[in-house]
Amino acid sequence: MSYSTADSLPPVTLDDVRGAQKMLSGVARVTAMEGSRHLTQLVGAPVHLKCENLQRTGSFKLRGAYVRIAGLLPEERAAGVVAASAGNHAQGVALASSLLGVRSTVFMPKGAPLPKISATKDYGAQVRLHGQVVDETLAAAQEYAAETGAVFIHPFDHPDIIAGQGTVGLELLEQCPEVRTIVVGIGGGGLAAGIAMAVKSLRPDVRIVGVQAAGAAAYPPSLAAGHPVAVDNPATMADGIKVGRPGDVPFRIIGDLVDEVRTVSEDELATALLLCLERAKLVVEPAGASPVAALLSDPGAFEGPVVAVLSGGNVDPVLLQRVLRHGMAAQGRYLAVRLRLTDRPGALATLLGVLSAVDANVLDVSHVRTDPRLGLAEAEVELHLETKGPAHCVEVGHALREAGYTVID
C-alpha cells in the first residue's frame, strides 16, 4: 500500500506523534522490549515483544487519553470529560484526567469485571454502570456529554488519540532499529494507525501487519469495501479488540499504511496467552496476545526481525482461568471426559487406577449417581485431566475404552 499519496493524506502527521512523545515524557513509561527465544526459533528470525502490558494502567491507552485531554482548551477542561469503556480506555482516561486535574466520568457496562471497575475508580474517575454491551454504554456517555457539556473522549477515533498511540512506534524504532515487521492487534484501529503513521514516515520499508479476532473482524470487509463496515454481534474473548466498526480516522491511515490484516481464532488467542505466561513470564490479556497468536498460526509468513506489540495486560482473573484451561486443551494438555460406569463400591477407584496407569493426572472429579438419564445401576463421572499432548489424549481415550468404559462425547 502506498504512503502519503496526493489524494489521500493522513490526518495525523509524524510531527503530531513527536509532539505527543514530548508531552508524554515523565507521564507514560518507555516500556520494555523483550526477546522471545521460543518465537525466534519458531519464526526463524529474531522476535521481540513490546511490553505495553507493563505500561501504567496496564495498557497503551494512557498515551492517547493523556494527549487528547492535555490538548483541551481551559473551558473544555473545566467542563470535565466523559468516556465509555469496558476496561483499558476507562483506566487510561481516569489516570490521565487525574494527572491533569480534570474531572472525569466513565460509563462502563454493568457486566464489566470488578477489578477493572475498581481500578478505574482508584485512578480518580466517577464510574457509572449502564447497559449490558459497550454500544449501550457508549450511547449513555454521549448523552451525558450532550446534557452536561463534558468533552467526550473517544477510545480511538480522534487524531490526538492516534498521535498518542503512535509514540509506541517511535519507541519501538529506537529499541529495535533493525525491525522488518511489526505485528499489532486491531480493534477500532487507534494503536495500529498511530504505529503505522510513526513507523512508515521514518521507515517505509517496515511491514505492518494488523491482527483481529476472527469473531470481531471488521477491518477485512471494510478494507475490501473501501469504507468502514459494521460487523453485527462481534464475539471474542479479546474484549480489547472487540469493536464492531472501524473508526473513520484510523481507517484512512490503516488503509494507506498497514500492509496486511490477519485474523486469529479463539483457540489461537488462548494458546498465545498461555505461551506469554509460560515462556515469557508476562501476564497479557487476549487482545494483547493477538500478535503472538498470528505468529503461532503462520510463523513462516513474517520477515524478521519481528516486533509483536503486547498492547495490554488487564485480564480478569476469572477469564484468565478459563482461557488458560482453553489454551491447555488446544495444546492437548487438558482433557475433559465424561463416561458411565457401574454403580458399585470400588468402581471409581478402579477407574482412577486405569487413568493412573496411563499417567493422566486427575484435576477434578464430578460423580453423579441420581439422574433420570441413568439406569438403576449406573453412575456418570466427569473428569478433568492434565495430559501431555494430543497423542497422550488419544492414549487416555483408548485406555478407557479398552477397560470397558462408555465414553460420552
Side-chain angles (χ1 to χ4, degrees):
M1 297 179 183
S2 62
Y3 167 66
S4 191
T5 59
D7 59 344
S8 182
L9 290 174
V12 182
T13 68
L14 177 61
D15 285 343
D16 294 330
V17 181
R18 283 176 167 159
Q21 188 176 43
K22 291 179 182 178
M23 189 180 295
L24 288 167
S25 177
V27 175
R29 293 172 182 154
V30 176
T31 51
M33 180 85 77
E34 299 285 347
S36 172
R37 186 172 68 172
H38 178 77
L39 290 172
T40 293
Q41 292 174 341
L42 191 67
V43 172
V47 176
H48 306 278
L49 307 175
K50 176 61 172 167
C51 299
E52 282 297 291
N53 59 309
L54 302 179
Q55 184 57 261
R56 295 177 73 178
T57 75
S59 86
F60 69 96
K61 289 288 191 177
L62 171 65
R63 297 174 183 265
Y66 188 91
V67 172
R68 173 76 173 100
I69 298 169
L72 295 177
L73 298 173
E75 58 268 27
E76 291 176 318
R77 290 197 189 193
V81 299
V82 60
S85 168
N88 289 346
H89 181 58
Q91 293 172 66
V93 169
L95 179 57
S97 299
S98 293
L99 293 173
L100 291 164
V102 177
R103 184 178 69 258
S104 63
T105 302
V106 176
F107 284 77
M108 303 182 75
K110 292 180 180 178
L114 291 178
K116 294 186 177 182
I117 295 173
S118 177
T120 303
K121 290 179 179 179
D122 288 345
Y123 286 128
Q126 180 188 42
V127 174
R128 298 192 178 192
L129 301 180
H130 184 92
Q132 301 298 326
V133 296
V134 174
D135 286 344
E136 295 173 356
T137 307
L138 181 64
Q142 291 172 325
E143 183 178 342
Y144 177 88
E147 291 174 352
T148 66
V151 179
F152 179 67
I153 307 299
H154 199 284
F156 50 81
D157 206 10
H158 192 280
D160 289 348
I161 295 287
I162 294 170
Q165 321 306 26
T167 60
V168 176
L170 294 182
E171 286 179 19
L172 188 156
L173 289 180
E174 293 169 0
Q175 294 169 314
C176 185
E178 68 278 14
V179 63
R180 297 293 301 166
T181 305
I182 297 171
V183 191
V184 56
I186 299 181
L191 178 63
I195 288 176
M197 170 54 61
V199 171
K200 289 283 193 178
S201 297
L202 297 168
R203 288 280 309 281
D205 59 305
V206 173
R207 183 173 179 82
I208 310 289
V209 179
V211 184
Q212 292 208 286
Y219 265 89
S222 297
L223 292 170
H227 57 83
V229 174
V231 172
D232 293 332
N233 302 316
T236 175
M237 72 175 82
D239 59 350
I241 54 175
K242 185 181 176 181
V243 178
R245 182 187 184 278
D248 293 326
V249 180
F251 178 79
R252 289 181 56 196
I253 299 173
I254 288 172
D256 281 346
L257 303 183
V258 171
D259 297 281
E260 179 185 7
V261 176
R262 290 174 167 252
T263 62
V264 292
S265 69
E266 298 298 285
D267 281 351
E268 289 164 344
L269 286 169
T271 300
L273 189 151
L274 183 61
L275 183 143
C276 288
L277 188 62
E278 287 190 324
R279 298 299 183 97
K281 315 307 177 191
L282 293 168
V283 176
V284 182
E285 62 190 271
S290 59
V292 174
L295 295 177
L296 293 175
S297 68
D298 191 5
F302 301 90
E303 180 184 1
V306 178
V307 173
V309 181
L310 307 183
S311 59
N314 292 318
V315 57
D316 178 37
V318 176
L319 174 63
L320 179 61
Q321 183 181 42
R322 294 204 311 266
V323 170
L324 290 179
R325 284 197 171 187
H326 193 78
M328 290 175 68
Q331 292 184 343
R333 295 167 52 194
Y334 178 85
L335 178 65
V337 60
R338 196 158 51 97
L339 49 83
R340 289 182 183 173
L341 63 157
T342 303
D343 186 15
R344 58 175 175 76
L348 183 58
T350 301
L351 169 61
L352 297 179
V354 172
L355 295 171
S356 177
V358 290
D359 206 22
N361 186 30
V362 179
L363 302 174
D364 187 43
V365 178
S366 175
H367 191 194
V368 178
R369 301 176 65 190
T370 304
D371 190 287
R373 298 171 300 164
L374 299 174
L376 187 61
E378 286 184 322
E380 186 173 288
V381 176
E382 183 174 346
L383 305 118
H384 293 181
L385 310 173
E386 183 180 8
T387 48
K388 301 175 182 179
H392 191 209
C393 291
V394 173
E395 181 185 357
V396 170
H398 179 72
L400 290 171
R401 291 182 176 90
E402 283 288 301
Y405 293 104
T406 301
V407 179
I408 304 170
D409 295 328

